[in-house]
Amino acid sequence: MDDKKTIIIVDDDVSLLRVIEAGLSSHGYQCMTVPDAEAALEIIAGNPFDLLLTDIVMPGMDGFELTAKAKRLRPDMLSIIMTGFTEDFSYDRAIEGGASDFIKKPFTLQELLIRLQIAKFQEKLLKMSVTDELTGLYNRRGFFAMAERQLKLSNRHKEIMYLLFADLDNLKGINDTHGHLEGDLALMGMSRVLEDTFRQSDIIARMGGDEFVVIPIGTTEEGAGVAISRLNKNIDGYNVKGEKKHLLSISIGLACYNPENPCTVDDLIRQADSSMYEKKKQKKGINSD
C-alpha cells in the first residue's frame, strides 16, 4: 500500500492500539488511534484517511455501524474489520457496510500488513471494473453496486433517498457538427461540472452515452432542489469560460425512494427517466416557440 499511508485505528483495547500503531508506524504508516467509535466518526468527518481499521465489539456504536457511517462520509476510504468472535461475525454485513476485508484476532503484524496489501490490490481491481474510462465517474456497473448498497442502508435506517437522472442535450448534434472528439470533451466537461456540484460522498455515474445519474446522500427534497439549481448555475459558468465549440445543456429528472414503499434501483431510474423526459419535452416546446 505504497500510496495508502494514513490509517485510523479504532478499538477500546488501548494496549492493542499501542501495539498496532507501533508496528504500522515502523513500516511507514501514519496512524491515529481512537478508543471510541463515536469520537472516531467525528475525526473521520473532518480528516481524510486512507484506511479505517476497527474492532467490531465496542461500547456504544459497534464496528459495523462505524464502518457504514464512515464509508458514507469517505467513500474512497478502505476499511478492515478486526474481530475475536468469528462465530458471531457476519461477513455479509461487513461487506454491505463497506468493509474491504476482515482479520481475526489475535493476528501478527505480518498478517496485518498482508491484509493491507490485499485490500489495496482489491481496490485497484474494483476501481478498474466500476469506473467509466472516459469521465472517471462510476460506470453503470459501479452505479448499481453503490445504489443497491445505498437502498439497503435506506431501508435499515428508514431514510428517504433521492435520485437525479440527467441527459446531456444535443450530444448527437455536437458529434455530427464538430466530431466525436468534441462530443467526448462535452461529456468530460459535464462530468467535471457534476463533480464540482456534488459532494465526494455522493454517488455520481455515467450510465452510458449521454446519460448521467446522481444519488445525493442524506439529502432532503429541498436539498435535491437546491442541488439541481446549483448544477444549472455551474453549467452556465462552464459555458461562459474559455473558447469551446460546444455548450452544455441538460434535462434533469428526480425520483424519490421511500423505504415504506420500496422499489428496485431499476424502478427508481425509470421514474427519474420519465420525469426527465417530461422536462425535455417542455424544453423543446419552449425552444420551438
Side-chain angles (χ1 to χ4, degrees):
M1 290 180 57
D2 294 337
D3 58 342
K4 294 287 184 181
K5 291 292 189 181
T6 59
I7 300 179
I8 181 168
I9 311 165
V10 188
D11 198 311
D12 58 336
D13 185 341
V14 177
S15 61
L16 180 61
L17 287 179
R18 291 171 181 163
V19 171
I20 296 175
E21 180 183 20
L24 292 180
S25 296
S26 69
H27 283 77
Y29 291 93
Q30 300 176 27
C31 302
M32 175 175 287
T33 59
V34 187
D36 175 79
E38 294 279 1
L41 196 62
E42 292 183 11
I43 294 171
I44 291 168
N47 301 274
F49 290 93
D50 297 317
L51 187 136
L52 164 67
L53 180 64
T54 180
D55 191 23
I56 292 180
V57 181
M58 295 179 288
M61 186 189 304
D62 66 21
F64 289 129
E65 187 178 358
L66 170 61
T67 299
K69 289 184 175 181
K71 288 292 287 185
R72 295 175 77 178
L73 292 170
R74 304 286 179 184
D76 294 333
M77 182 176 64
L78 300 174
S79 60
I80 295 177
I81 288 179
M82 303 180 286
T83 177
F85 303 94
T86 53
E87 64 275 10
D88 298 325
F89 178 75
S90 170
Y91 185 78
D92 289 342
R93 186 179 172 195
I95 298 303
E96 179 184 315
S100 308
D101 202 354
F102 76 97
I103 186 168
K104 180 183 176 183
K105 295 178 179 179
F107 51 81
T108 64
L109 175 60
Q110 187 60 33
E111 183 181 359
L112 178 57
L113 290 170
I114 290 172
R115 291 289 186 184
L116 297 180
Q117 292 170 357
I118 290 172
K120 178 64 170 88
F121 180 68
Q122 289 175 335
E123 181 200 31
K124 283 186 176 180
L125 291 179
L126 178 61
K127 191 169 185 179
M128 289 172 62
S129 69
V130 301
T131 302
D132 178 60
E133 186 175 356
L134 178 65
T135 65
L137 301 176
Y138 283 118
N139 59 19
R140 186 179 184 86
R141 177 181 179 182
F143 168 76
F144 272 93
M146 296 296 291
E148 291 287 358
R149 178 188 298 173
Q150 199 58 42
L151 251 65
K152 290 179 180 178
L153 290 172
S154 179
N155 288 331
R156 177 176 298 165
H157 299 291
K158 306 299 181 184
E159 294 176 347
I160 287 176
M161 184 183 84
Y162 289 90
L163 181 145
L164 281 68
F165 194 90
D167 184 277
L168 182 61
D169 297 329
N170 196 38
L171 179 61
K172 184 179 185 302
I174 295 173
N175 286 330
D176 291 346
T177 304
H178 303 293
H180 285 273
L181 176 58
E182 193 69 19
D184 286 349
L185 291 174
L187 289 167
M188 288 188 287
M190 188 67 242
S191 69
R192 298 291 82 79
V193 171
L194 287 168
E195 289 182 315
D196 289 342
T197 301
F198 294 93
R199 302 161 299 179
Q200 185 183 19
S201 59
D202 295 330
I203 301 169
I204 311 172
R206 179 190 174 204
M207 300 296 280
D210 56 4
E211 296 176 341
F212 296 84
V213 64
V214 180
I215 295 179
I217 304 299
T219 194
T220 61
E221 183 176 7
E222 181 181 1
V226 170
I228 291 173
S229 297
R230 186 167 62 243
L231 175 58
N232 285 319
K233 181 178 179 180
N234 288 345
I235 288 174
D236 290 340
Y238 173 90
N239 286 336
V240 299
K241 289 180 180 178
E243 295 183 3
K244 311 179 190 69
K245 296 178 181 178
H246 66 269
L247 295 176
L248 296 185
S249 172
I250 60 169
S251 300
I252 306 172
L254 180 66
C256 173
Y257 177 82
N258 189 334
E260 294 184 359
N261 186 26
C263 63
T264 66
V265 176
D266 280 318
D267 290 335
L268 204 59
I269 290 175
R270 279 192 286 270
Q271 292 174 34
D273 184 38
S274 177
S275 172
M276 180 273 296
Y277 184 68
E278 289 300 317
K279 299 287 177 57
K280 188 178 284 285
K281 286 200 303 184
Q282 293 173 14
K283 185 182 294 186
K284 287 181 177 180
I286 292 172
N287 291 340
S288 63
D289 289 341

